[in-house]
Amino acid sequence: MFFLMDRYCLRAVAGVSRSGYRPDLRGTSRGISLMQVHQVDPPRLCSPAVQELGRTGLPDVMEVFATYVNNELPTYLVHVPEKKLVSRQEVKKMFRRDMIAVTEADIAKVVEEAAGRSVPTRDEAIRALVRGKLKYATFSHRWIERGEPTFRDIMMSFEPAGYSKLVNFCGKAAEYGCSLAWSDTCCINKDSSTELEEAIRSMFKWYRDAHVCIAYLAEATSLDDVWKDVWFTRGWTLQELLAPRMMKFYGKNWVPLSNSLNDKQDGGMLDVLSRATGISHHDLRFFRPGTRNVHEKMMWAANRTTTRVEDIAYCLIGVFDVSLTIAYGEGQRAFYRLMEAIINRCGEWEIMAWAGSPSADSAAIPESPRCYKALGEARAATESSVSGDSGLTQRAWRGDRHFVMTKRGLQLKLLLVDLPSPSMHLFEGSGEKRMECTRYGRCTVCVVDYWCFDTSGKGVLVPKQDHLCLLLHSDPFDPYAEWEKAQTKELLFVRTDVEVREDLRVLWL
C-alpha cells in the first residue's frame, strides 16, 4: 500500500506543504513507520478527486489551454533559453505543469485585477491567465540577402551568418519576460504548402496576439534618421507595424531608439513613425483591421515593395481582414483577387480613387496599391448635413454604397457628364499638381462621389466642389458597345458652377 500512494499524499503525511514548510517534529521520531502511514485518514488527504485534480488541473483551464495552443499560437516557436524550435504539441508539454498548477485563487485574482470597464467572465479570466503564461515575442526586420537562418537550419542546429541577429532578438524577448519567440525567417516550414499558407493568413493575428514585437532597424542610429531605414519600404512590415499592441524599436548594433518600454506609447517615436509612414498616431496605436477606409490603407502600402509580386496582395490580407487562398505563381492576379474580396465587403466610393495601369482581369481594378492617389479636397466629407435647394438642412451621402463585382464587371451607379460644358471644368491631379485639363477634348466622364439627398435615384453635383470622376470610352464602331474605364495617369475631378441634378445610371466597368 505504501508504494501505491501518490507523492502528494506522502508529502501531506510527512507534514510538508507544497511551499516547502515542514512543521516542528522535535521530540518525535524523524522517520514514519508503515503503521503510521496506514493510520492516515485517506478520504481527507488522498481522496480520488484530490488525486485526479493534482494530475490534470482544472478542467476548464486545461480546455482553454489546449484550444489556445492548437488554434492561436504560431505553428512553430523558438524556445528562447535553448534557441530551438518547438511545435504546438511540444509547447503543450512544456507548459502543462504550469496549467495544472492554476488554482481557483489564481482565476479570482485575474478577475479582481482586471482594469477594463466591465468585470471579465470566468472564461475571459482563464483565457487571459493562459495567454499570460504563454507569452511570446515576434520579430520585425529587413531580411539580409544571404544568411538568414531558415527552418531547416534551426532544426539541424546550423548557424548561418544571420544567426547572431536571431540570438539578439531572443535576448530582447527574454528581457520582456518571453520564453517563446517567433521569427518569419525560421519559424515557417516553407517545404509544407499547408503550413506556409496558414502562416501567411494568420500572420497579422500572430503579431497582434504577441506580448511584444521587437523591431530591428539595422540602418538607424537615432530618431533623426529612422525614416531613412529600408524597413519602411517593405510590404510585410506594414502589418508588423500596425498589428502589435506593444512594440520596441532597436537601431544599429541593437541600440534602443527610445527610453520607453512600449514605443507605441512614446510621443516622440509616434511622431517619427507617423511622418515616415503617413499613418496617424491613433491608427499606429489602435489600428483595427477591416474594409473601412480602404483608400487610406492602400495609400499606406502605395510606396512599399515586395520580392515576390504576389506578396503585395498577401501582405495586406490581415490589414483588410479578408480571406484569400495563397497561390504563388499567379503573379499580379493575386492583387485582383484581393480587390474582389475587399469590394464584396466595402461600400466606400474612395476605393475608385486610383489612376495608372489597370489589372489585366478588369479595367475597373488597379494593378497594385501604387495606383492609389491622394484625394485632396474631394475627400472633405462623405456623409454630412448639407443644404439643398430649399435651404433646409438635410442628411446626405456620397456615391454608390452598394457596388458589387459581377460576371459583367464592377456594377455601380454613376452620374454621367458630357464635356466640354460651359458650366463645368475638368481638372487633373490633386493638391499642388492640380491643373485644368483639356487634353481629352470631347469626352464623357462618370462622377463617382455625387451627392444623394434622397432615394429618388438622382445624383447631385454641388457647385464649387471637386467631384471625383472616371474617364469613359467605348468602341466607336460598335453601337452596342458598353462603357469602359479609360486609363489616366492622374485622378480626374470635375467642378461645376451651378448645381447639377441628373438621373443615375448603372454601369458595368
Side-chain angles (χ1 to χ4, degrees):
M1 178 177 176
F2 179 84
F3 297 103
L4 294 177
M5 295 190 67
D6 188 82
R7 65 179 181 276
Y8 298 105
C9 300
L10 290 176
R11 289 172 64 90
V13 171
V16 182
S17 70
R18 295 192 64 163
S19 62
Y21 170 76
R22 183 185 298 271
D24 189 1
L25 297 178
R26 287 175 296 180
T28 64
S29 173
R30 297 189 63 180
I32 299 179
S33 68
L34 184 58
M35 181 61 69
Q36 288 176 301
V37 170
H38 181 70
Q39 292 173 353
V40 173
D41 183 9
R44 182 167 58 88
L45 292 176
C46 302
S47 67
V50 171
Q51 292 184 45
E52 183 63 23
L53 185 60
R55 287 193 294 266
T56 62
L58 299 172
D60 47 358
V61 171
M62 302 309 292
E63 182 180 356
V64 170
F65 169 57
T67 301
Y68 179 72
V69 173
N70 290 336
N71 297 281
E72 299 187 46
L73 275 188
T75 316
Y76 290 95
L77 289 156
V78 175
H79 185 226
V80 170
E82 300 177 281
K83 310 296 184 299
K84 73 172 186 178
L85 286 175
V86 290
S87 66
R88 288 168 174 159
Q89 291 302 316
E90 290 171 308
V91 169
K92 282 197 283 189
K93 292 178 182 178
M94 290 169 55
F95 287 88
R96 178 176 169 80
R97 284 188 178 181
D98 292 338
M99 295 299 110
I100 290 175
V102 173
T103 64
E104 293 290 351
D106 296 327
I107 299 172
K109 185 177 180 181
V110 172
V111 174
E112 183 181 346
E113 295 178 349
R117 296 181 179 179
S118 58
V119 178
T121 64
R122 178 181 174 84
D123 286 347
E124 291 172 339
I126 292 174
R127 180 177 169 81
L129 197 152
V130 169
R131 288 187 59 178
K133 290 183 178 295
L134 272 68
K135 292 189 298 186
Y136 67 92
T138 51
F139 194 23
S140 180
H141 62 117
R142 171 73 172 97
W143 285 35
I144 57 178
E145 291 187 8
R146 289 184 178 182
E148 289 287 0
T150 65
F151 178 85
R152 185 173 296 180
D153 291 338
I154 303 302
M155 294 297 285
M156 297 177 65
S157 300
F158 177 67
E159 300 181 5
Y163 184 75
S164 60
K165 183 168 64 170
L166 179 66
V167 171
N168 285 321
F169 159 57
C170 288
K172 300 305 178 185
E175 291 178 11
Y176 277 83
C178 298
S179 60
L180 299 171
W182 187 88
S183 172
D184 55 357
T185 56
C186 63
C187 294
I188 303 175
N189 181 10
K190 297 181 176 67
D191 293 334
S192 169
S193 58
T194 302
E195 292 184 12
L196 175 61
E197 180 160 353
E198 180 184 2
I200 291 175
R201 296 172 69 170
S202 306
M203 205 174 294
F204 184 94
K205 177 176 173 50
W206 292 348
Y207 274 91
R208 169 133 299 186
D209 290 346
H211 177 66
V212 64
C213 175
I214 304 296
Y216 178 55
L217 279 54
E219 299 173 2
T221 58
S222 68
L223 289 183
D224 295 331
D225 62 359
V226 162
W227 62 273
K228 297 179 182 179
D229 197 279
V230 70
W231 186 87
F232 290 99
T233 68
R234 306 304 298 172
W236 288 104
T237 56
L238 177 59
Q239 70 173 359
E240 294 165 13
L241 171 65
L242 294 170
R245 293 182 171 89
M246 180 184 288
M247 201 165 186
K248 183 60 184 176
F249 284 87
Y250 294 88
K252 189 175 182 180
N253 297 324
W254 289 90
V255 176
L257 293 174
S258 78
N259 295 321
S260 298
L261 187 68
N262 182 4
D263 284 337
K264 285 202 169 186
Q265 294 180 348
D266 185 282
M269 179 60 77
L270 287 174
D271 287 339
V272 170
L273 295 175
S274 185
R275 286 195 299 269
T277 61
I279 304 173
S280 69
H281 283 211
H282 184 272
D283 283 318
L284 287 170
R285 294 185 63 192
F286 308 112
F287 176 76
R288 296 181 64 181
T291 52
R292 295 190 62 182
N293 302 321
V294 173
H295 175 267
E296 182 179 24
K297 293 171 184 175
M298 287 295 183
M299 289 290 292
W300 297 344
N303 295 319
R304 293 174 178 265
T305 60
T306 56
T307 302
R308 296 292 297 269
V309 173
E310 299 90 346
D311 282 342
I312 199 62
Y314 301 157
C315 72
L316 297 175
I317 290 175
V319 173
F320 291 105
D321 192 22
V322 295
S323 181
L324 202 67
T325 55
I326 309 304
Y328 281 106
E330 65 177 328
Q332 293 178 334
R333 194 168 193 278
F335 188 74
Y336 168 79
R337 292 195 299 115
L338 175 72
M339 289 298 297
E340 268 191 319
I342 293 172
I343 286 171
N344 287 334
R345 295 174 54 187
C346 175
E348 302 170 340
W349 60 267
E350 294 97 332
I351 200 172
M352 298 301 297
W354 63 272
S357 302
S359 166
D361 295 279
S362 171
I365 302 294
E367 184 180 66
S368 74
R370 194 173 293 274
C371 296
Y372 278 89
K373 311 289 183 181
L375 274 167
E377 296 180 5
R379 200 184 176 185
T382 57
E383 186 173 334
S384 181
S385 297
V386 297
S387 298
D389 293 336
S390 63
L392 298 176
T393 300
Q394 308 172 56
R395 195 67 180 173
W397 66 92
R398 295 181 79 172
D400 184 4
R401 297 182 292 184
H402 304 289
F403 51 82
V404 63
M405 285 297 296
T406 69
K407 291 182 178 180
R408 294 179 63 181
L410 179 61
Q411 175 187 307
L412 67 171
K413 293 179 181 179
L414 299 164
L415 191 154
L416 269 60
V417 174
D418 292 322
L419 297 174
S421 169
S423 59
M424 292 191 188
H425 308 276
L426 186 66
F427 294 89
E428 188 175 40
S430 62
E432 296 179 355
K433 296 181 179 180
R434 184 176 181 273
M435 60 191 314
E436 191 161 2
C437 178
T438 57
R439 72 172 73 185
Y440 301 112
R442 293 184 58 187
C443 62
T444 300
V445 298
C446 58
V447 179
V448 175
D449 62 335
Y450 50 82
W451 286 95
C452 287
F453 298 104
D454 50 45
T455 57
S456 64
K458 291 184 178 293
V460 178
L461 303 186
V462 177
K464 309 301 181 183
Q465 189 176 90
D466 284 349
H467 291 275
L468 177 69
C469 62
L470 311 177
L471 181 66
L472 299 177
H473 75 87
S474 64
D475 187 344
F477 302 104
D478 183 356
Y480 304 103
E482 295 184 344
W483 288 112
E484 294 181 359
K485 180 182 181 298
Q487 182 175 335
T488 58
K489 292 183 178 181
E490 298 291 341
L491 298 182
L492 297 181
F493 301 92
V494 66
R495 176 173 284 221
T496 177
D497 298 327
V498 297
E499 182 177 287
V500 175
R501 187 181 294 265
E502 296 287 347
D503 289 331
L504 299 175
R505 290 180 56 182
V506 177
L507 297 184
W508 289 266
L509 301 178

